Amino acid sequence: MAITLVNPNGLPEIDAYRQVSIATGSKLVFIAGQVAWDADSVTVGEGDLAAQVEQCYLNIGTALAEVGASFDDVAKLTVYVVDWTPGKMPLLLEGITRAAAKLGVTPVPPATLLGVAALDVPEHLVEVEATTVID
């Protein structure tokens, strides 16, 4: 495994992610922002943030598997949410939890959450991109 996740002393411990990832692999894999499309480009969970987050994470899992990686190899996630407010956090975490259960993983690499005005199409509420390091 090329990634070690840590929470340094002096920084808050956040359940949803770790503060730092240490990468020792030799190949960087950049996964484009994944939205709530299924394999046929149909939006999953229109109007449902938790369902869309779940689909985004499942799509990241599919992309990781294609390159021989898993969430254990993810060094950093960036999550973009349309019209973000802190009140949406439970839905975001619900979607992550559902995807994690389906994937059999605990996806807790360092993450940045950004509120945005819009994404590629109006029905997409969230987009997730990943930076991965593999041997």
Side-chain angles (χ1 to χ4, degrees), residues 44-45 48-55 57-58 90-105 107:
V44 173
D48 183 343
L49 180 61
Q52 289 201 14
V53 169
E54 178 183 0
Q55 186 63 44
Y57 273 72
L58 293 175
L91 294 172
L92 179 82
L93 294 176
E94 178 186 333
I96 294 169
T97 299
R98 291 185 342 207
K102 286 182 178 177
L103 294 167
V105 299

Side-chain angles (χ1 to χ4, degrees), residues 21-105:
S21 66
I22 303 163
T24 57
S26 58
K27 294 180 186 175
L28 291 176
V29 179
F30 299 94
I31 298 174
Q34 296 298 303
V35 293
W37 275 331
D38 65 12
D40 297 318
S41 301
V42 174
T43 298
V44 173
E46 191 166 337
D48 183 343
L49 180 61
Q52 289 201 14
V53 169
E54 178 183 0
Q55 186 63 44
C56 291
Y57 273 72
L58 293 175
N59 290 349
I60 294 284
T62 298
L64 290 167
E66 180 66 23
V67 297
S70 73
F71 268 94
D72 289 338
D73 301 303
V74 175
K76 173 86 167 49
L77 292 172
T78 304
V79 180
Y80 304 90
V81 181
V82 174
D83 297 326
W84 174 257
T85 63
K88 293 181 179 181
M89 184 61 81
L91 294 172
L92 179 82
L93 294 176
E94 178 186 333
I96 294 169
T97 299
R98 291 185 342 207
K102 286 182 178 177
L103 294 167
V105 299

